[in-house]
Amino acid sequence: MANRVKDKVTLVTGAGSVGPGWGNGKAAAVLYAREGARVFAVDLNLDAAEETQTIISGEGGKCIAFRADVSSADQVTSMVKECLRVYGRIDILHNNVGVPNIGGLAEVTEQEWDQLFAINVKSVYLTCRSCIPSMVRQGGGVIVNISSIASIRYVGFPCVSYATCKAAINQFTQNIAIQYADKGIRANCVLPGLIHTPHIEHFLASAYGGDVDRMIKKRHALVPMQRMGDAWDVAHASLFLVSNEAKYITGVQLLVDGGISCKIS
């Protein structure tokens, strides 16, 4: 199937990747473009956003790269204004920005707690607050917020601040889904499970003694399907939710986890 989001303007935050390979936001941006969208690819690292832009342009798609810190209200406002200036509208908002933090209640510092909420939760609030008015004016739009199974399950090691952040995103999404349903706006969450991306190798290896190979092997073994997912699994779930195939779906939490959330241990 092709052209599932043809000519839709899609703003993707966290559209780059922290290392070689495919991160969730990068894969989503490229997939949206392959399905006909005009992409506005945002990342804190402009080089990473431009790499995504290069891939999309090389395949004949349309993409603008933009640098923004989406935990900053001023930068989010500038980001949305530029997207509207270039493309004239925003049909899809895909919020992918998020960082993990390892540690339980005693280990997480106040500074780490505040920083995680600024990046993981405040960014979603700011981007939605800035994009929704234009969606209302144009008669509709779709929002996908990337959450995590950590929002509903313990993931095998303490990550109290990260889990709490992601749970907040779930409830935030449900609230705006209901508030704006009669304005033609849908909002849903994707809850990835154990996904093998450059992001986990960059942030999570310390939870496994710094041994990336050991981390990968152990995470594969935890999943009933005996393998982690990849960024394309998350991207395809997101594409479904923003497409017309999901036109009667709003306020949901779509698990993309290989069945791991069904396990007792």
Side-chain angles (χ1 to χ4, degrees):
M1 188 177 294
N3 295 324
R4 292 162 81 183
V5 286
K6 183 175 173 56
D7 296 327
K8 300 292 186 182
V9 174
T10 304
L11 194 163
V12 180
T13 70
S17 181
V18 298
W22 291 95
N24 292 336
K26 181 180 177 181
V30 171
L31 184 60
Y32 289 142
R34 288 174 179 172
E35 292 288 336
R38 294 173 287 167
V39 176
F40 195 80
V42 179
D43 204 277
L44 183 62
N45 181 345
L46 182 59
D47 289 341
E50 288 177 340
E51 181 184 359
T52 301
Q53 179 188 34
T54 298
I55 294 169
I56 292 172
S57 298
E59 295 181 354
K62 296 180 180 179
C63 179
I64 300 293
F66 190 85
R67 183 198 178 279
D69 176 355
V70 289
S71 67
S72 162
D74 289 342
Q75 292 189 41
V76 169
T77 298
S78 297
M79 171 190 81
V80 171
K81 283 183 177 179
E82 181 63 11
C83 186
L84 292 172
R85 186 191 72 79
V86 173
Y87 289 133
R89 59 190 292 122
I90 298 171
D91 299 294
I92 298 165
L93 170 63
H94 180 107
N95 276 311
N96 184 71
V97 170
V99 295
N101 189 46
I102 298 164
L105 183 62
E107 292 79 34
V108 175
T109 67
E110 182 180 357
Q111 181 181 6
E112 288 173 329
W113 182 273
D114 290 344
Q115 181 184 42
L116 222 67
F117 268 82
I119 296 171
N120 292 1
V121 183
K122 184 181 178 183
S123 64
V124 174
Y125 155 70
L126 291 175
T127 55
C128 290
R129 188 183 69 168
S130 292
C131 289
I132 282 175
S134 66
M135 290 180 173
V136 171
R137 287 193 298 271
Q138 70 200 24
V142 190
I143 297 166
V144 171
N145 294 324
I146 304 301
S147 180
S148 168
I149 62 164
S151 67
I152 60 169
R153 295 287 189 275
Y154 185 76
V155 293
F157 55 84
C159 56
V160 64
S161 53
Y162 179 74
T164 306
C165 283
K166 291 302 187 178
I169 289 171
N170 295 352
Q171 287 305 309
F172 176 88
T173 304
Q174 284 192 346
N175 270 263
I176 62 172
I178 298 305
Q179 184 178 357
Y180 293 98
D182 64 350
K183 301 292 191 283
I185 296 171
R186 297 188 296 108
N188 295 293
C189 283
V190 173
L191 276 59
L194 302 185
I195 308 295
H196 190 185
T197 65
H199 192 82
I200 69 159
E201 295 187 16
H202 183 79
F203 285 104
L204 296 184
S206 61
Y208 298 83
D211 187 335
V212 173
D213 290 337
R214 175 172 171 265
M215 174 187 71
I216 292 170
K217 183 177 180 180
K218 286 180 72 69
R219 285 167 71 89
H220 280 321
L222 287 169
V223 184
M225 296 176 72
Q226 293 296 291
R227 60 178 175 83
M228 287 187 281
D230 60 34
W232 296 103
D233 295 315
V234 179
H236 280 284
S238 302
L239 175 65
F240 165 69
L241 287 174
V242 304
S243 73
N244 283 336
E245 296 160 38
K247 62 185 175 62
Y248 200 55
I249 298 174
T250 195
V252 307
Q253 298 165 17
L254 177 58
L255 289 159
V256 181
D257 71 350
I260 195 170
S261 60
C262 299
K263 292 174 62 177
I264 295 174
S265 62

